[in-house]
Amino acid sequence: MVQLYNLHPFGSQRVVPCRQEPALCCCGGGALLVACAAPGCKVEAFAVGARERCDPLGSFNTLGRVLRMAYSEAGDYLVTIEEKNKATSLRAYVNWRCMSAGNSRVCVRMVGHKVEESYSALSKEQMSIVEMPLSDPPLCISCCPVNGDLLVGCKNKLVMFCLKYLVINPDFSVLDFERSLILHIDDVIPAEIALCAGYVAITTELDVLILKLKSVKKGADDTELCAHEINAPEKLVNEGIKDEAPSALSSQFESDDFVICQKPTELLGEESKLCGISVTLESTRLNTEDAEHFQVCYILYRRFTPDLSSFVFSVEETKLHSLQMLPMYQTGSFTTDNRKTAAKKELLSLFCFFSLPHVGYLYTIGNLVELLSTYQYSEKSEQAVLTPQFLHVITSNSLQCFTVRCSAAAARDEDPYIDTTVKACPPVSLDVCALRMQLFIGLKAICHFKNHIIILTKADTEDITERRRPSRRLLSRKTGSVTLKAPSESESGWNLYIVNTISTIQLYKEMVDYSRTYENSRTESCIHLLSEAHLLVRAALMDPGLIESEEEEELLASFKESCALLGDCYSRFDTKDYHLSLPYYKMSDLSMTEILKRVDSEEDRAQKYEKGFIFYLNHSLYEELNEELSKESAAKVLQIFHLAEPNQLPHVLCSPCMKNVCPSTAMEYLQKVERIVPTLVVTLTKAAMALKMGDLEAYKHEMDRYTETKLAYGFIAEPRLLRQQRRGQVIPTELALHLKETQRGLLVASVLALYENSKIELEEANAYFKMLCGKNDDSVPQLLVDFWEALVVCSQGEVLQELLLKLISQYVWRLSGMQYPDTVPLKTAEDLINSSDHYGLIFPWVIFMMSLGPQSDEVYPEDLSKLQSLLCGPSVNATSVLPFLEPLLEDSNAGLSIHVLCTTRMGECEKSIDKLLERCPEAVISYAQHELKDENRALWWTKLLPDLCKRTRCPGEDYSILISALKETLSVVAMELELKDFLNVLPEDGTAAFFLPHLLQCSQRKLVT
């Protein structure tokens, strides 16, 4: 559907001072090139600039009458199809600006001819005419706007020429072409073609085919692979899809008296392979080693049929026209030097347009193949040109301007996540607008350059009368050839105009002013016009030539203003897309205070706050912006939510933006809410407000209404009661600081509940407790250790190991540095052992070791017990713990017990026995009784017995202890080994009287058994 508006996109117009009657024209690179009508063979050049002037640049002769012409900005060359002596030729005019400036030097050469030797320094100032011989007459041409390559359409084939530069010397290079590829397409006579970035589009009278030349790596079976890919569609047609797919672009069974029309068809993407059109690639590069190899991908096929239900157009008039491709680039990827930066252009999106006399079609064919817009014309169209902002269409007597959706599609290609709560863009499905219909008489042709539209008029009274008379007969038509009709000499009254479109800013302001007429009556029309204005500015900002332009700053300001206006619409109007108020307001860069003022500035003060505005406020307050509302603005927000969504008031008050809210006013609103919906969050918010007022009695009253367990659930519902985020940093609230002093258990339990419910990350919680306790260095407050100890109970996997290492590191750091915790721990070692499986019962030999001597006052016993308990538990990985134990020395029973526990957990019992015999022999038997079991039982006689015998040979301070330990060991070994084995483990030089009792014990055990 096309929306009609009466805007003024066209500004001034001026007549081009042509000396002869124009037949064709094209423009680009700041110049307008006009080919003269028969019998002239001349091209006139005019400067097309920002000023209201059209100065002649000169002219140059062509070798024949120009039938088709195209200009390429990449390479700055003009290519023509010319007729001379009833023969058509293809020629390119290079360095034509020198000729138009008055230089008469001309060089005519064949394409691909070696020109390095024939060129000199004087050649810089001469025009070159490059002859491009073809085996078949050229019918149509197209230049790639990205790299300047040339595509020529002939009967049943397309020929591609690559643009290249021949370096004559470091200061001089010559533009040349190389025939690189031929696309053989059976039974196709192209009427129009288009080439852009490897995409090829072809139209006949009623058919459109778009292909992509995909570069592939060269392989041994390139030819076979290519043939297989190309013939696949034809194979599918032969296997039974022939009824649904056409056999060729222009294959129709006709007779002289009637026309048989096939049904309309549209095939997109992979389905377009079913079109049945065979395409064969033939590489014609001379240097085959460096030649790029291509594969054909089918992109789109569409077949139309004449609308026989209406007699407005005859069958002959129902033909496609104005095929063109429009590329859009990544913003900022273009510079002014065309020749050197053509390859630097980064293609973002690609669009293809083609039109029937009564309707036009715009497709996106880059990342996605999709029909964007359909344009219905009020009368028969003659020609159309597509720009990033507009579609300009000429009929016999009017110039029409339509909006396009290119910028909307390109914005989504550039940012696939644009349709979120952060960014937005009007949809590509938005109805297009007809902005203006400007009357002209006898329009024949149109082209454009930037904001200049060039139109050719040739008024002929007879012709106009005949054109307006509807034809009521079906004419036969043949597709055997395409006739390039020359202009009639009988035509009179011609003009060539340059119509300037007004600036983007001026048209944007007119659209905004126009939209205000619909504010109170037609909501959708208001949003539609503002969306068009937004897309207009967005398209201008995506122009790569805008970089470092003076206009850019003004366009950015207009873009933000358009976002604010759209935000106003979605926030004030009752529309299903009310949620778009949030991203548009965000893109406007307006603060919440400014947006509140925009609402207050409305004349209707008693207005109802719509869902869009409440949606914006809700999300903005939840997103914890860095903005702090004033006392007045905060009161306004409270009033809005009290009227619109009173149940959200507690959550609103927890936003950092509401820091300056009056607590007594907030308490009044909360009491009203509590009477309707009493919840934990309301109670906790009231407690926070009471604390802010300094009313500790009211605070205690609110907190005592629920148990600590229930209060923790309240913090899960609203975590911002405990912590807020400002500038990416977690900040404790005033309530959290008070809980740290009065109810540390509740605080730790609440943060633990937040973590378990994914309301806070572990690293955030660590930083939170450090900030809460004023620890900005590497030191760890006891409150954080309490949190880790509580978290161990419910953790597993990598998180558990990380927590255990953190706790062990902290325990070791305190023990080695003789540091006491800054506050009393919430849980003792016994509490942890009873509540967590990860804290194990402390082994008897560890308890025995700790009882051997007085405990040092400088060691905190709870940290030591917790560390020992962890090492006695099942979860600690002793290998990973070992590096953390280095600061803890073995010169005390406390340190020794930790190291022995670690080596034992690592399976190194022999090493543990050595440590004990060296530093604490009293505990060796207790250790052995507990640890030397099962697979380690043999260590009694293989390790412990020999070591004790060895140490007792040298009497010392521990002699009595060692003798006692030896006797205990002999008793155990005597009960374990056979008499013969027992004799073998006894030392050969031992005293018989000492060992005899144990031998008797061993032999008596044997007799008893």
Side-chain angles (χ1 to χ4, degrees):
M1 181 178 177
V2 177
Q3 302 284 341
L4 300 177
Y5 297 105
N6 187 23
L7 295 168
H8 302 83
F10 305 125
S12 62
Q13 72 180 50
R14 55 188 185 274
V15 176
V16 180
C18 298
R19 295 183 180 182
Q20 298 183 28
E21 179 182 352
L24 301 169
C25 61
C26 60
C27 53
L32 169 63
L33 299 169
V34 182
C36 300
C41 296
K42 180 181 288 187
V43 173
E44 295 185 73
F46 302 89
V48 181
R51 295 176 298 175
E52 297 292 322
R53 298 177 62 182
C54 184
D55 300 326
L57 293 176
S59 63
F60 55 89
N61 294 324
T62 60
L63 301 180
R65 183 169 60 91
V66 178
L67 303 179
R68 296 278 182 105
M69 64 188 302
Y71 169 79
S72 173
E73 195 159 347
D76 192 26
Y77 69 87
L78 175 71
V79 61
T80 62
I81 297 177
E82 302 175 12
E83 181 186 44
K84 187 174 183 179
N85 299 330
K86 297 183 179 180
T88 55
S89 304
L90 179 69
R91 297 184 177 96
Y93 293 81
V94 180
N95 210 16
W96 55 268
R97 294 181 189 269
C98 296
M99 195 68 182
S100 63
N103 195 319
S104 59
R105 293 175 60 88
V106 178
C107 168
V108 181
R109 57 186 170 89
M110 294 290 289
V111 65
H113 179 67
K114 291 187 176 181
V115 296
E116 291 88 341
E117 296 83 2
S118 59
Y119 270 83
S120 62
L122 296 176
S123 302
K124 294 181 181 179
E125 305 300 327
Q126 72 178 15
M127 182 178 75
S128 296
I129 302 176
V130 183
E131 295 276 359
M132 302 181 186
L134 297 168
S135 58
D136 295 300
L139 302 176
C140 45
I141 50 178
S142 176
C143 300
C144 176
V146 176
N147 53 33
D149 290 349
L150 172 64
L151 186 67
V152 184
C154 304
K155 182 179 179 180
N156 297 335
K157 68 181 178 181
L158 304 178
V159 184
M160 184 181 294
F161 293 87
C162 286
L163 180 67
K164 65 178 184 178
Y165 290 88
L166 302 177
V167 179
I168 306 301
N169 57 57
D171 299 325
F172 179 43
S173 59
V174 176
L175 185 147
D176 198 12
F177 298 88
E178 180 183 4
R179 191 195 317 261
S180 60
L181 192 67
I182 298 178
L183 288 80
H184 297 277
I185 309 176
D186 296 342
D187 302 323
V188 171
I189 301 176
E192 289 183 315
I193 56 175
L195 172 67
C196 184
Y199 287 82
V200 176
I202 315 156
T203 62
T204 61
E205 291 184 352
L206 290 173
D207 303 87
V208 183
L209 175 65
I210 301 178
L211 308 169
K212 181 181 180 181
L213 299 177
K214 185 178 180 181
S215 179
V216 294
K217 293 183 179 180
K218 184 178 179 182
D221 55 348
D222 283 340
T223 305
E224 295 178 5
L225 173 64
C226 187
H228 173 74
E229 292 291 338
I230 303 309
N231 292 333
E234 191 170 13
K235 184 179 179 183
L236 289 174
V237 173
N238 294 335
E239 288 179 356
I241 314 180
K242 192 170 183 178
D243 293 337
E244 299 181 9
S247 59
L249 278 172
S250 302
S251 62
Q252 293 183 354
F253 299 98
E254 299 183 358
S255 72
D256 293 336
D257 299 323
F258 60 90
V259 177
I260 298 176
C261 300
Q262 299 183 21
K263 65 179 181 180
T265 304
E266 181 185 46
L267 301 173
L268 304 179
E270 291 294 324
E271 290 184 355
S272 58
K273 289 182 179 180
L274 303 178
C275 65
I277 301 166
S278 176
V279 180
T280 306
L281 301 182
E282 178 187 352
S283 178
T284 57
R285 282 187 182 269
L286 296 177
N287 189 353
T288 56
E289 292 182 0
D290 298 333
E292 194 172 4
H293 294 261
F294 293 99
Q295 198 173 8
V296 172
C297 297
Y298 289 79
I299 302 299
L300 179 146
Y301 172 80
R302 184 152 186 178
R303 179 181 61 204
F304 297 93
T305 189
D307 185 5
L308 303 181
S309 63
S310 171
F311 290 93
V312 177
F313 307 119
S314 67
V315 174
E316 283 193 336
E317 288 178 321
T318 308
K319 297 179 182 179
L320 288 164
H321 64 76
S322 303
L323 172 69
Q324 54 194 302
M325 289 190 188
L326 175 70
M328 292 190 74
Y329 305 99
Q330 289 280 1
T331 306
S333 62
F334 180 82
T335 57
T336 56
D337 188 350
N338 293 327
R339 194 181 87 179
K340 294 184 179 179
T341 63
K344 293 182 181 179
K345 290 184 181 181
E346 188 176 348
L347 188 67
L348 173 64
S349 303
L350 186 60
F351 305 93
C352 184
F353 175 82
F354 46 85
S355 181
L356 288 168
H358 56 291
V359 60
Y361 300 90
L362 177 61
Y363 281 85
T364 174
I365 59 173
N367 301 324
L368 179 69
V369 184
E370 181 183 11
L371 176 64
L372 291 184
S373 306
T374 302
Y375 296 87
Q376 298 285 343
Y377 310 136
S378 58
E379 52 185 334
K380 177 191 171 187
S381 63
E382 301 286 345
Q383 195 179 350
V385 291
L386 177 68
T387 74
Q389 290 179 309
F390 304 109
L391 174 69
H392 300 291
V393 181
I394 57 170
T395 65
S396 60
N397 57 9
S398 68
L399 169 62
Q400 303 179 9
C401 179
F402 297 87
T403 57
V404 295
R405 298 290 164 261
C406 297
S407 60
R412 286 168 173 83
D413 288 338
E414 190 170 36
D415 184 2
Y417 304 101
I418 198 169
D419 296 307
T420 61
T421 57
V422 180
K423 302 175 187 175
C425 180
V428 294
S429 58
L430 188 71
D431 289 342
V432 294
C433 293
L435 299 181
R436 188 74 178 175
M437 295 185 183
Q438 191 76 30
L439 294 179
F440 282 90
I441 297 176
L443 287 169
K444 297 292 183 181
I446 182 172
C447 61
H448 80 96
F449 171 70
K450 293 187 176 179
N451 64 322
H452 310 291
I453 303 168
I454 294 87
I455 52 176
L456 173 62
T457 64
K458 291 187 179 182
D460 186 273
T461 307
E462 252 183 32
D463 216 18
I464 295 172
T465 305
E466 184 66 26
R467 188 181 298 112
R468 289 178 178 174
R469 187 180 301 130
S471 174
R472 295 184 176 272
R473 56 192 178 89
L474 295 177
L475 302 177
S476 65
R477 57 184 173 88
K478 300 284 186 178
T479 58
S481 64
V482 173
T483 304
L484 300 175
K485 185 179 177 182
S488 172
E489 294 183 3
S490 65
E491 289 183 336
S492 60
W494 56 266
N495 268 312
L496 191 63
Y497 297 98
I498 296 181
V499 180
N500 298 317
T501 56
I502 64 175
S503 69
T504 300
I505 301 297
Q506 187 177 347
L507 183 56
Y508 161 77
K509 291 179 179 177
E510 184 182 0
M511 285 182 168
V512 171
D513 291 340
Y514 199 165
S515 70
R516 293 193 175 101
T517 61
Y518 296 114
E519 279 183 338
N520 299 321
S521 57
R522 295 171 61 184
T523 300
E524 293 302 322
S525 295
C526 181
I527 294 177
H528 190 272
L529 260 175
L530 288 175
S531 297
E532 292 287 4
H534 176 88
L535 289 175
L536 184 74
V537 177
R538 186 184 281 272
L541 285 170
M542 296 184 79
D543 180 7
L546 187 67
I547 296 174
E548 298 181 359
S549 169
E550 296 178 359
E551 187 185 5
E552 184 178 13
E553 188 174 344
E554 191 174 1
L555 282 171
L556 284 171
S558 298
F559 178 81
K560 292 178 181 179
E561 182 191 26
S562 71
C563 293
L565 292 171
L566 282 169
D568 291 341
C569 287
Y570 287 113
S571 65
R572 292 201 307 265
F573 298 153
D574 185 12
T575 171
K576 62 182 178 64
D577 296 322
Y578 65 90
H579 61 278
L580 293 176
S581 60
L582 177 62
Y584 278 118
Y585 272 145
K586 282 186 176 181
M587 292 193 298
S588 71
D589 281 352
L590 292 175
S591 66
M592 199 184 309
T593 302
E594 291 170 324
I595 292 171
L596 285 169
K597 288 179 180 178
R598 291 172 76 93
V599 175
D600 286 342
S601 65
E602 295 297 316
E603 295 180 2
D604 185 7
R605 291 299 192 131
Q607 66 173 334
K608 173 188 173 184
Y609 295 107
E610 296 292 344
K611 291 185 292 184
F613 182 63
I614 300 301
F615 183 84
Y616 161 74
L617 277 183
N618 236 333
H619 276 73
S620 298
L621 293 170
Y622 263 103
E623 287 177 6
E624 300 176 340
L625 305 176
N626 295 326
E627 178 184 2
E628 292 183 2
L629 296 176
S630 64
K631 185 176 181 180
E632 295 75 16
S633 297
K636 177 68 176 176
V637 170
L638 283 182
Q639 180 187 359
I640 291 171
F641 276 95
H642 174 64
L643 295 174
E645 292 188 8
N647 60 318
Q648 291 296 320
L649 269 176
H651 303 285
V652 169
L653 286 167
C654 294
S655 171
C657 302
M658 301 291 286
K659 180 181 179 182
N660 299 320
V661 70
C662 175
S664 57
T665 304
M667 188 69 86
E668 292 176 6
Y669 281 116
L670 287 171
Q671 287 171 349
K672 294 178 182 178
V673 172
E674 191 175 38
R675 284 194 287 269
I676 303 171
V677 186
T679 62
L680 278 168
V681 178
V682 173
T683 300
L684 288 171
T685 309
K686 287 176 66 179
M689 291 299 109
L691 194 62
K692 194 171 184 179
M693 289 187 296
D695 190 348
L696 294 179
E697 185 177 346
Y699 165 81
K700 189 175 186 305
H701 170 73
E702 298 296 337
M703 296 296 287
D704 289 345
R705 292 173 59 183
Y706 297 97
T707 63
E708 287 193 356
T709 303
K710 287 189 175 181
L711 291 175
Y713 283 108
F715 289 119
I716 294 173
E718 184 47 81
R720 293 179 298 176
L721 285 164
L722 291 178
R723 59 118 179 108
Q724 295 177 347
Q725 194 165 0
R726 295 178 186 172
R727 295 176 178 86
Q729 192 175 21
V730 177
I731 307 294
T733 62
E734 187 177 351
L735 176 59
L737 292 169
H738 188 74
L739 290 175
K740 180 178 77 76
E741 302 298 331
T742 58
Q743 291 176 282
R744 291 186 296 116
L746 173 59
L747 178 61
V748 170
S750 300
V751 177
L752 179 62
L754 293 181
Y755 174 79
E756 289 178 337
N757 289 272
S758 302
K759 301 289 186 179
I760 191 172
E761 298 294 331
L762 182 57
E763 292 303 321
E764 287 181 336
N766 295 342
Y768 172 78
F769 278 111
K770 285 188 176 183
M771 184 167 291
L772 188 66
C773 299
K775 303 286 186 181
N776 296 323
D777 52 7
D778 293 334
S779 60
V780 177
Q782 176 57 39
L783 205 59
L784 179 54
V785 176
D786 292 331
F787 172 70
W788 289 341
E789 290 174 347
L791 188 56
V792 161
V793 178
C794 58
S795 299
Q796 56 185 355
E798 293 182 3
V799 175
L800 173 62
Q801 292 301 319
E802 181 184 353
L803 286 171
L804 293 176
L805 291 178
K806 285 178 180 292
L807 287 170
I808 289 173
S809 175
Q810 186 61 24
Y811 296 150
V812 170
W813 180 79
R814 286 181 184 173
L815 292 171
S816 60
M818 291 173 278
Q819 298 284 337
Y820 275 71
D822 52 354
T823 57
V824 178
L826 292 176
K827 289 188 177 182
T828 64
E830 185 178 356
D831 295 332
L832 292 173
I833 292 171
N834 292 332
S835 61
S836 173
D837 294 335
H838 307 298
Y839 284 85
L841 287 171
I842 300 176
F843 299 151
W845 63 268
V846 177
I847 298 173
F848 176 76
M849 279 184 69
M850 303 310 299
S851 66
L852 291 176
Q855 186 66 45
S856 172
D857 295 335
E858 296 177 342
V859 175
Y860 188 63
E862 285 300 324
D863 285 340
L864 178 60
S865 298
K866 291 175 182 178
L867 180 56
Q868 290 171 341
S869 176
L870 276 180
L871 292 173
C872 292
S875 304
V876 170
N877 186 340
T879 305
S880 59
V881 167
L882 189 60
F884 293 94
L885 302 181
E886 291 181 3
L888 198 59
L889 302 179
E890 299 180 7
D891 55 357
S892 66
N893 286 349
L896 180 62
S897 66
I898 299 301
H899 281 279
V900 172
L901 277 170
C902 189
T903 53
T904 303
R905 288 292 304 273
M906 295 171 64
E908 300 176 354
C909 292
E910 296 183 24
K911 192 173 181 180
S912 299
I913 291 171
D914 290 337
K915 288 179 182 289
L916 290 174
L917 288 175
E918 182 67 29
R919 297 186 178 275
C920 187
E922 300 95 329
V924 70
I925 296 301
S926 178
Y927 171 84
Q929 290 172 343
H930 187 269
E931 301 293 344
L932 302 186
K933 299 175 181 178
D934 300 327
E935 66 271 10
N936 292 325
R937 183 170 294 274
L939 292 178
W940 280 96
W941 54 87
T942 60
K943 173 63 179 177
L944 185 56
L945 180 59
D947 284 2
L948 286 172
C949 291
K950 182 179 178 180
R951 289 177 181 271
T952 52
R953 289 191 180 94
C954 302
E957 295 181 1
D958 298 329
Y959 182 75
S960 60
I961 298 173
L962 293 172
I963 289 295
S964 176
L966 179 57
K967 291 179 179 181
E968 290 287 341
T969 303
L970 286 169
S971 298
V972 172
V973 174
M975 297 299 294
E976 292 292 333
L977 297 181
E978 297 294 334
L979 182 59
K980 181 181 178 181
D981 296 329
F982 184 52
L983 283 170
N984 289 334
V985 300
L986 294 179
E988 295 179 358
D989 57 348
T991 304
F994 181 82
F995 293 102
L996 186 58
H998 301 288
L999 283 168
L1000 292 174
Q1001 180 185 1
C1002 182
S1003 61
Q1004 290 173 358
R1005 177 181 63 83
K1006 181 65 175 175
L1007 291 174
V1008 171
T1009 57

